[in-house]
Amino acid sequence: MENKIIKLNQNGRSRKEILAELKKFNKTDADWSQGKTFSLVYHAGEEHTDFIKEAYNIYFHHNGLNPGAFPSLQKFEAEVLSQVIDLFHGYEDTQNPAAGTMTSGGSESIMMAIKTYRDYYRTHRPEIIQPEMIVPQTIHPAFDKAAVYFNVKMLKAPVDQNFQVDIEQVKKMINKNTILLVGSAPQYPQGIMDPIQTLADLALENKISLHVDACLGGFFIPFAKLAGFEIPEFDFKIKGVTSISADLHKYGFTAKGASVILYRNKDLRRFQFFVSKDWPGGLFGSPSMTGTRPGGSIAAAWATLQAYGIEGYTQVAQEVMTTTMKLQEGIKQIGYTILGKPVIGVYAFTHQSLDVYAVADQMSLRGWYLDRQQYPAALHMMITPAHTKVADQFLKDLKESTDFVLAHPETSNQGMAAMYGMAAKAPDPSMIDMFLYQFMDERYDVKSSL
Ligand SMILES: *Cc1c(COP(=O)(O)O)cnc(C)c1O
């Protein structure tokens, strides 16, 4: 495709006309409002969406960079943190309770945790020149990113047949440079929870830290437990857990741009902060990576927690689990296997003898957007209340798509299925890297088609 140069208009255009154009472009995008996507959008209904938009708009121009100017934002952030610390049993040590900050999302929360541990151990274990962390193979790529950005060496421990990190392998990887273990509650690919208690024991034994990535499950597991589902502990109740990342903009159902990073105590959080006394612009202190922080996302997060409360979130968890069980049952009946034992409304399914990527292509033709996964080849789902009313239609379309692929094996060599098939068979893994870089170059170029 040819690139073209788009120049800034000489004259401004009618705002009304532009808005109409935005609405038109929007039509080409995945239809998340009808429950046809299974990641990227966490939708809890029109009424709630209108509510968070309004909350966001009231604080549209506020900047969380300097809470001195906006004490209300400081209050919202402190209250959000307090509620989450309480939810995660961070107040049980009354002398030295947990502490944290809000961030723009899971990736920022995770990056802040890695930077914090790097700097904490620089001070407390200066003999470690090249710090290392051990993560499960299924960990979110934000950790890979953080490892590169902050120069912490990352060792990936394999997972067992249940997709949980293999503890024996983790034990073997621990050495004198290890500063951190990581587990997920749950991980994204199969929705499986790592054995957090065992990892915590191991961390304590070796006098190192343990981060729990609850970006996905942090606002779901506590409420699913209240709804009666049995899910293991993952939070500060477990001695040895030293930090937790949890996204408000996933199962917290607030506007995008809101997550929390919590540490077991303030001494640890101290290493997250950045201060500068030399800037001609004044004394400068910043809690996290970003400078300007949109006030709207902080206000909307506060408003959302107020609106749901424990009871509201528990109802959502109940509804999501009910839909999840119905879908999983139906998927199994069509002949698929659910991978491992997923704990929340996030799971993956695969098929013994069928190209699941070809099935995903067929589902696309029917308007469904399913994430394709590898190791093993599987399709991914993430259930929200938006899916309750479309579960039957989904199962009907999945059955049709499956039958179609069974009758047309050539579909494996077409569409996205062909691309995934090629990647799986590439003799040289560095070719896949090259391919991905090329893909990124193209994706971020201006396309003449738009
Ligand atoms: C989404 C997610 C992240 C990253 O969060 P972003 O908000 O997308 O930056 C990290 N870990 C897990 C398990 C996630 O699901």
mmCIF file of all heavy atoms in Angstrom, residues 175-199:
data_model
loop_
_atom_site.group_PDB
_atom_site.id
_atom_site.type_symbol
_atom_site.label_atom_id
_atom_site.label_comp_id
_atom_site.label_asym_id
_atom_site.label_seq_id
_atom_site.Cartn_x
_atom_site.Cartn_y
_atom_site.Cartn_z
ATOM 1 N N ASN A 175 18.737 -17.362 41.946
ATOM 2 C CA ASN A 175 20.177 -17.285 42.234
ATOM 3 C C ASN A 175 20.473 -16.013 43.016
ATOM 4 O O ASN A 175 19.538 -15.288 43.384
ATOM 5 C CB ASN A 175 20.981 -17.379 40.926
ATOM 6 C CG ASN A 175 20.716 -16.176 40.031
ATOM 7 O OD1 ASN A 175 20.925 -15.026 40.430
ATOM 8 N ND2 ASN A 175 20.214 -16.430 38.830
ATOM 9 N N LYS A 176 21.741 -15.705 43.221
ATOM 10 C CA LYS A 176 22.093 -14.568 44.089
ATOM 11 C C LYS A 176 21.706 -13.211 43.496
ATOM 12 O O LYS A 176 21.706 -12.211 44.205
ATOM 13 C CB LYS A 176 23.587 -14.608 44.455
ATOM 14 C CG LYS A 176 24.522 -14.493 43.260
ATOM 15 C CD LYS A 176 25.967 -14.630 43.719
ATOM 16 C CE LYS A 176 26.988 -14.302 42.643
ATOM 17 N NZ LYS A 176 26.623 -14.413 41.241
ATOM 18 N N ASN A 177 21.362 -13.172 42.212
ATOM 19 C CA ASN A 177 20.940 -11.916 41.580
ATOM 20 C C ASN A 177 19.432 -11.747 41.524
ATOM 21 O O ASN A 177 18.940 -10.718 41.063
ATOM 22 C CB ASN A 177 21.496 -11.837 40.146
ATOM 23 C CG ASN A 177 22.995 -11.672 40.145
ATOM 24 O OD1 ASN A 177 23.555 -11.020 41.035
ATOM 25 N ND2 ASN A 177 23.663 -12.282 39.179
ATOM 26 N N THR A 178 18.699 -12.775 41.950
ATOM 27 C CA THR A 178 17.239 -12.699 41.852
ATOM 28 C C THR A 178 16.697 -11.700 42.876
ATOM 29 O O THR A 178 17.031 -11.780 44.055
ATOM 30 C CB THR A 178 16.604 -14.078 42.122
ATOM 31 O OG1 THR A 178 17.273 -15.046 41.300
ATOM 32 C CG2 THR A 178 15.127 -14.067 41.822
ATOM 33 N N ILE A 179 15.878 -10.755 42.388
ATOM 34 C CA ILE A 179 15.247 -9.805 43.320
ATOM 35 C C ILE A 179 13.736 -10.023 43.406
ATOM 36 O O ILE A 179 13.113 -9.646 44.388
ATOM 37 C CB ILE A 179 15.533 -8.334 42.923
ATOM 38 C CG1 ILE A 179 14.992 -8.012 41.521
ATOM 39 C CG2 ILE A 179 17.038 -8.029 43.005
ATOM 40 C CD1 ILE A 179 15.021 -6.518 41.169
ATOM 41 N N LEU A 180 13.159 -10.654 42.376
ATOM 42 C CA LEU A 180 11.693 -10.650 42.270
ATOM 43 C C LEU A 180 11.142 -11.899 41.604
ATOM 44 O O LEU A 180 11.682 -12.368 40.606
ATOM 45 C CB LEU A 180 11.289 -9.410 41.434
ATOM 46 C CG LEU A 180 9.812 -9.201 41.130
ATOM 47 C CD1 LEU A 180 9.054 -8.855 42.408
ATOM 48 C CD2 LEU A 180 9.625 -8.097 40.093
ATOM 49 N N LEU A 181 10.038 -12.411 42.183
ATOM 50 C CA LEU A 181 9.224 -13.433 41.518
ATOM 51 C C LEU A 181 7.912 -12.755 41.098
ATOM 52 O O LEU A 181 7.483 -11.790 41.731
ATOM 53 C CB LEU A 181 8.916 -14.601 42.462
ATOM 54 C CG LEU A 181 10.103 -15.329 43.098
ATOM 55 C CD1 LEU A 181 9.588 -16.470 43.973
ATOM 56 C CD2 LEU A 181 11.072 -15.842 42.038
ATOM 57 N N VAL A 182 7.287 -13.295 40.061
ATOM 58 C CA VAL A 182 6.005 -12.735 39.622
ATOM 59 C C VAL A 182 5.014 -13.872 39.382
ATOM 60 O O VAL A 182 5.391 -14.936 38.869
ATOM 61 C CB VAL A 182 6.158 -11.913 38.316
ATOM 62 C CG1 VAL A 182 4.817 -11.314 37.901
ATOM 63 C CG2 VAL A 182 7.193 -10.801 38.461
ATOM 64 N N GLY A 183 3.760 -13.653 39.763
ATOM 65 C CA GLY A 183 2.680 -14.587 39.452
ATOM 66 C C GLY A 183 1.468 -13.789 38.992
ATOM 67 O O GLY A 183 1.356 -12.604 39.291
ATOM 68 N N SER A 184 0.556 -14.432 38.263
ATOM 69 C CA SER A 184 -0.635 -13.728 37.774
ATOM 70 C C SER A 184 -1.901 -14.235 38.461
ATOM 71 O O SER A 184 -2.015 -15.413 38.777
ATOM 72 C CB SER A 184 -0.812 -13.948 36.267
ATOM 73 O OG SER A 184 0.330 -13.582 35.553
ATOM 74 N N ALA A 185 -2.854 -13.328 38.639
ATOM 75 C CA ALA A 185 -4.136 -13.684 39.258
ATOM 76 C C ALA A 185 -5.297 -13.061 38.497
ATOM 77 O O ALA A 185 -5.837 -12.067 38.936
ATOM 78 C CB ALA A 185 -4.151 -13.223 40.718
ATOM 79 N N PRO A 186 -5.721 -13.668 37.395
ATOM 80 C CA PRO A 186 -5.080 -14.756 36.658
ATOM 81 C C PRO A 186 -4.289 -14.190 35.487
ATOM 82 O O PRO A 186 -4.349 -12.995 35.223
ATOM 83 C CB PRO A 186 -6.281 -15.555 36.138
ATOM 84 C CG PRO A 186 -7.301 -14.481 35.825
ATOM 85 C CD PRO A 186 -7.068 -13.373 36.837
ATOM 86 N N GLN A 187 -3.610 -15.076 34.736
ATOM 87 C CA GLN A 187 -2.921 -14.636 33.529
ATOM 88 C C GLN A 187 -3.933 -14.470 32.387
ATOM 89 O O GLN A 187 -5.023 -15.038 32.423
ATOM 90 C CB GLN A 187 -1.786 -15.602 33.147
ATOM 91 C CG GLN A 187 -2.056 -17.096 33.392
ATOM 92 C CD GLN A 187 -2.555 -17.807 32.177
ATOM 93 O OE1 GLN A 187 -3.380 -17.288 31.451
ATOM 94 N NE2 GLN A 187 -2.095 -19.029 31.970
ATOM 95 N N TYR A 188 -3.534 -13.710 31.378
ATOM 96 C CA TYR A 188 -4.445 -13.387 30.277
ATOM 97 C C TYR A 188 -4.712 -14.560 29.328
ATOM 98 O O TYR A 188 -5.877 -14.815 28.984
ATOM 99 C CB TYR A 188 -3.886 -12.185 29.508
ATOM 100 C CG TYR A 188 -4.747 -11.709 28.372
ATOM 101 C CD1 TYR A 188 -5.750 -10.761 28.583
ATOM 102 C CD2 TYR A 188 -4.585 -12.216 27.092
ATOM 103 C CE1 TYR A 188 -6.544 -10.323 27.545
ATOM 104 C CE2 TYR A 188 -5.381 -11.783 26.044
ATOM 105 C CZ TYR A 188 -6.357 -10.838 26.278
ATOM 106 O OH TYR A 188 -7.153 -10.410 25.250
ATOM 107 N N PRO A 189 -3.665 -15.294 28.889
ATOM 108 C CA PRO A 189 -3.921 -16.262 27.795
ATOM 109 C C PRO A 189 -4.979 -17.321 28.096
ATOM 110 O O PRO A 189 -5.856 -17.552 27.276
ATOM 111 C CB PRO A 189 -2.548 -16.912 27.569
ATOM 112 C CG PRO A 189 -1.562 -15.905 28.057
ATOM 113 C CD PRO A 189 -2.227 -15.232 29.218
ATOM 114 N N GLN A 190 -4.907 -17.953 29.280
ATOM 115 C CA GLN A 190 -5.897 -19.012 29.575
ATOM 116 C C GLN A 190 -6.746 -18.711 30.808
ATOM 117 O O GLN A 190 -7.541 -19.541 31.224
ATOM 118 C CB GLN A 190 -5.189 -20.364 29.750
ATOM 119 C CG GLN A 190 -4.516 -20.907 28.489
ATOM 120 C CD GLN A 190 -3.038 -20.508 28.410
ATOM 121 O OE1 GLN A 190 -2.440 -20.074 29.399
ATOM 122 N NE2 GLN A 190 -2.439 -20.638 27.244
ATOM 123 N N GLY A 191 -6.536 -17.525 31.406
ATOM 124 C CA GLY A 191 -7.322 -17.168 32.589
ATOM 125 C C GLY A 191 -6.983 -18.009 33.812
ATOM 126 O O GLY A 191 -7.816 -18.196 34.706
ATOM 127 N N ILE A 192 -5.758 -18.525 33.850
ATOM 128 C CA ILE A 192 -5.346 -19.426 34.934
ATOM 129 C C ILE A 192 -4.590 -18.656 36.008
ATOM 130 O O ILE A 192 -3.799 -17.770 35.709
ATOM 131 C CB ILE A 192 -4.406 -20.534 34.383
ATOM 132 C CG1 ILE A 192 -5.011 -21.228 33.180
ATOM 133 C CG2 ILE A 192 -4.009 -21.520 35.498
ATOM 134 C CD1 ILE A 192 -6.205 -22.071 33.443
ATOM 135 N N MET A 193 -4.836 -19.029 37.254
ATOM 136 C CA MET A 193 -4.149 -18.380 38.360
ATOM 137 C C MET A 193 -2.888 -19.159 38.718
ATOM 138 O O MET A 193 -2.928 -20.377 38.877
ATOM 139 C CB MET A 193 -5.095 -18.386 39.551
ATOM 140 C CG MET A 193 -4.865 -17.231 40.435
ATOM 141 S SD MET A 193 -6.371 -16.915 41.324
ATOM 142 C CE MET A 193 -5.630 -16.343 42.817
ATOM 143 N N ASP A 194 -1.773 -18.457 38.859
ATOM 144 C CA ASP A 194 -0.548 -19.118 39.323
ATOM 145 C C ASP A 194 -0.686 -19.454 40.809
ATOM 146 O O ASP A 194 -1.501 -18.856 41.504
ATOM 147 C CB ASP A 194 0.658 -18.194 39.088
ATOM 148 C CG ASP A 194 1.024 -18.109 37.615
ATOM 149 O OD1 ASP A 194 1.146 -19.181 36.992
ATOM 150 O OD2 ASP A 194 1.173 -16.982 37.087
ATOM 151 N N PRO A 195 0.131 -20.400 41.308
ATOM 152 C CA PRO A 195 0.054 -20.756 42.742
ATOM 153 C C PRO A 195 0.696 -19.665 43.599
ATOM 154 O O PRO A 195 1.876 -19.751 43.936
ATOM 155 C CB PRO A 195 0.838 -22.071 42.803
ATOM 156 C CG PRO A 195 1.760 -22.042 41.627
ATOM 157 C CD PRO A 195 1.128 -21.200 40.579
ATOM 158 N N ILE A 196 -0.087 -18.646 43.919
ATOM 159 C CA ILE A 196 0.455 -17.442 44.571
ATOM 160 C C ILE A 196 1.025 -17.768 45.959
ATOM 161 O O ILE A 196 2.101 -17.311 46.326
ATOM 162 C CB ILE A 196 -0.634 -16.338 44.676
ATOM 163 C CG1 ILE A 196 -1.187 -15.986 43.284
ATOM 164 C CG2 ILE A 196 -0.075 -15.104 45.371
ATOM 165 C CD1 ILE A 196 -0.184 -15.448 42.283
ATOM 166 N N GLN A 197 0.276 -18.600 46.722
ATOM 167 C CA GLN A 197 0.757 -18.945 48.072
ATOM 168 C C GLN A 197 2.142 -19.609 48.014
ATOM 169 O O GLN A 197 3.049 -19.258 48.770
ATOM 170 C CB GLN A 197 -0.250 -19.886 48.755
ATOM 171 C CG GLN A 197 0.163 -20.362 50.139
ATOM 172 C CD GLN A 197 0.100 -19.234 51.172
ATOM 173 O OE1 GLN A 197 -0.965 -18.648 51.407
ATOM 174 N NE2 GLN A 197 1.236 -18.917 51.789
ATOM 175 N N THR A 198 2.321 -20.530 47.093
ATOM 176 C CA THR A 198 3.607 -21.232 46.971
ATOM 177 C C THR A 198 4.712 -20.275 46.540
ATOM 178 O O THR A 198 5.840 -20.326 47.061
ATOM 179 C CB THR A 198 3.487 -22.382 45.943
ATOM 180 O OG1 THR A 198 2.249 -23.054 46.172
ATOM 181 C CG2 THR A 198 4.623 -23.357 46.061
ATOM 182 N N LEU A 199 4.391 -19.394 45.591
ATOM 183 C CA LEU A 199 5.382 -18.399 45.157
ATOM 184 C C LEU A 199 5.762 -17.491 46.322
ATOM 185 O O LEU A 199 6.939 -17.133 46.489
ATOM 186 C CB LEU A 199 4.820 -17.556 44.008
ATOM 187 C CG LEU A 199 4.738 -18.225 42.631
ATOM 188 C CD1 LEU A 199 3.927 -17.362 41.661
ATOM 189 C CD2 LEU A 199 6.147 -18.478 42.062
#
